[in-house]
Amino acid sequence: ASEQRIMRSTSTDLFTWTAPVFVLDGTHALTAWGGDQPWDNDCRDPHVFPIAGLEDTWGMVLSLRQADREAMIIGWALSRDLENWTLTSVLARTGSAYWEYFHAEGWQTGFAESPFLLEHDQESYLFRTVNQAPHPVLQLQGTTHFLERGKACEILPRGDGTYWFAHLVGPDTTGLAIEITTLEFTDGRPVLGE
């Protein structure tokens, strides 16, 4: 089976990069890592960020294959130096009340990937892509709130309390594209700009 692992490269000019160095695989009791089936060894889509209030501590959310092979799950890893990482827990997986709600409502939620964790007004918001028929959508974890069609978001602060929100759209008859819009919060809920 193929293996997807988290690698790290560094650069001082953003043009020339060091050779990738292995930093993390998907070894955890809740993952299928080490199996011999295709996609058992998924460990991808990292979002790395400093942990607010903790000096020299970094967090990572990433996509992994669930041990029963039925779904992708969102994992959580920590590091003190960006080189040595520990996969500590799973933030979203099947079997939870959250997942069961969507199965009962007929949603195909078996494939969660491309997580992005945003801290806003002392609250954590976990965005993830849910590959459901007929199109993938971006979903706010732990809610029934779907932003719109699209996947794999990146969110950057604009400096005025709002954010730039970039994500993939498509594929459709015109192909795959990146859409950039604004993201604001209304009553604690993220709302995309027009």
Side-chain angles (χ1 to χ4, degrees):
S2 63
E3 292 183 352
Q4 297 174 332
R5 299 169 184 259
I6 306 300
M7 308 292 279
R8 179 188 56 84
S9 293
T10 59
S11 175
T12 57
D13 61 10
L14 298 181
F15 293 99
T16 308
W17 292 86
T18 61
V21 176
F22 164 77
V23 295
L24 183 69
D25 64 26
T27 303
H28 191 279
L30 293 174
T31 72
W33 186 265
D36 59 1
Q37 299 299 310
W39 310 112
D40 277 356
N41 298 315
D42 281 353
C43 182
R44 56 188 171 82
D45 307 330
H47 171 222
V48 176
F49 47 90
I51 303 291
L54 296 177
E55 188 175 333
D56 298 325
T57 304
W58 298 81
M60 177 194 306
V61 289
L62 66 153
S63 304
L64 303 155
R65 178 68 58 179
Q66 185 166 293
D68 63 11
R69 299 183 174 94
E70 290 186 14
M72 293 293 287
I73 56 180
I74 306 301
W76 171 257
L78 289 172
S79 175
R80 300 289 303 218
D81 58 11
L82 295 174
E83 294 179 22
N84 300 290
W85 288 88
T86 302
L87 185 60
T88 61
S89 62
V90 171
L91 299 181
R93 65 181 179 89
T94 57
S96 67
Y98 164 76
W99 286 85
E100 296 307 320
Y101 167 83
F102 284 100
H103 282 294
E105 294 296 312
W107 292 100
Q108 296 177 16
T109 57
F111 204 75
E113 61 182 349
S114 304
F116 192 96
L117 188 65
L118 174 67
E119 298 289 329
H120 176 80
D121 285 344
Q122 299 180 339
E123 294 286 334
S124 297
Y125 296 85
L126 178 60
F127 296 85
R128 65 187 183 92
T129 300
V130 178
N131 282 321
Q132 66 177 32
H135 301 286
V137 295
L138 284 162
Q139 180 183 20
L140 186 60
Q141 175 67 24
T143 73
T144 57
H145 184 56
F146 291 89
L147 296 178
E148 66 177 50
R149 294 196 314 199
K151 65 185 295 182
C153 71
E154 298 285 334
I155 304 170
L156 298 169
R158 296 177 65 192
D160 61 359
T162 64
Y163 301 87
W164 290 113
F165 187 89
H167 66 107
L168 293 175
V169 292
D172 57 23
T173 57
T174 59
L176 191 64
I178 296 175
E179 177 182 76
I180 301 174
T181 187
T182 57
L183 175 74
E184 299 180 6
F185 283 82
T186 302
D187 298 324
R189 292 185 66 159
V191 178
L192 293 181
E194 298 295 322

